Amino acid sequence: MHSSRKGPDRRSDVLVVGGGIIGLVTAWRAAERGLDTVLADPAPGGGAAQVAAGMLAPVTELHYGEEALLGLGLASAERYPRFAAELARASGGLDIGYRACGTLAVALDSDDRLHLRELHALQRRCGLESEWLTGRECRRLEPMLAPGVRGGLRVDGDHQVDPRRLAAALLAACDNAGVTVHRAAAEQLLTTADRATGALLDDGTELRADQVVLAAGSLSGRLAGVPAAVLPPVRPVKGQVLRLTVPPAHAPFLSRTVRAVVRGSHVYLVPRANGELVIGATSEELGWDTTVTAGGVYELLRDAHELVPGITELPLTETRAGLRPGSPDNAPLLGPTDLPGLHLATGHYRNGVLLTPLTGEVLAELLVTGELPAIARPFSPRRFSAARQESYA
């Protein structure tokens, strides 16, 4: 890994602040396009991806009022097979665990069944492929499901990837593409004559660049030196996740991702090819708290057990909590800000892993040509600065 402290004062084409999967994919794609790229993060490859389950589920994640986000999600999901192959080559053969295994969303009572029926109708209106199944048909697909399952939606187009392996592969791809990585945190944005020109790191290094991309996840709104008018309105949303191991004697436990709403709480079970079973995720507005709580673990296990009673026999191997970067409309902030030279790639909330391929592509195009591709324009950070100005009018 290229790394330096207080090196000679040189200027790069691009500085990426933040080394989670969004920062890494931006740096890799920029370097691939021939830009001299530097990335700053105290622990590159860390962040929310270390906790995320890795569902690529634009169809089953569809929410009312988020139809514009659906288009972005579908476009990124469509890119995943090619993206996984490109990343394998660029990282020296690392596999990101991409699995086209499909998703089954199920209902446990009549209220949940009604909610799923409405979701199915919305999916069909949006031209999406999903099939309604009876409870018996759901259990035929996934025999471990509880007898009380009342019906479900089979979505074969929603897939999965392993976010930890994705982060490792992106880090290797950055290294191979010549990205310089500074393992230190950005403390302050540097500006000259009303233009972003770099960042000061907490080890005293000053990094200068023609363009700066702020991709620090939920921390993006806390960088000193960013003018208030362009500071991204992102907040941390806590998610607790459990990992269980399916012993060979129990395999195959589930053949696809299973998800449900249990008493108003979303729960999902994501089976990996390596025998890991990920159960998530709580959604808690608790600021910067990343404590794993007994209550959070209990609720996830209780809801998952109602769905798949056999999980209580599996070894519990890990409990983690992380922070998703939430935005006011649950959609990402992609593209230039009103401060020349400063771009954003943050606020991905529940969709960071899903939107990784498209985010890298869009930001690289912007950095090279100065133009934000049409698909990303509805997600420009300027949608919030315009709203702020209207609220002051």
Side-chain angles (χ1 to χ4, degrees), residues 104-117 132-135 138-139 144-153 258-269 299-309:
L104 183 65
V106 300
L108 284 167
D109 62 28
S110 49
D111 283 352
D112 294 339
R113 192 171 179 275
L114 187 64
H115 169 77
L116 263 193
R117 279 289 199 189
W132 181 262
L133 302 182
T134 64
C138 290
R139 284 188 294 280
M144 298 302 291
L145 283 173
V149 166
R150 303 284 295 271
L153 285 177
V258 173
R259 54 190 299 158
V261 178
V262 182
R263 284 181 298 273
S265 296
H266 291 267
V267 66
Y268 49 75
L269 294 86
E299 283 166 25
L300 287 173
L301 285 175
R302 179 195 65 197
D303 293 350
H305 172 257
E306 280 198 35
L307 209 53
V308 181

Side-chain angles (χ1 to χ4, degrees), residues 308-325:
V308 181
I311 62 139
T312 50
E313 296 167 33
L314 303 178
L316 175 63
T317 46
E318 188 184 52
T319 58
R320 283 285 286 270
L323 301 171
R324 310 173 188 88

Side-chain angles (χ1 to χ4, degrees), residues 13-40:
D13 295 325
V14 177
L15 166 62
V16 179
V17 174
I21 53 174
I22 296 298
L24 289 170
V25 76
T26 300
W28 169 46
R29 290 303 204 189
E32 221 186 18
R33 297 282 294 265
L35 297 174
D36 177 15
T37 305
V38 174
L39 180 142

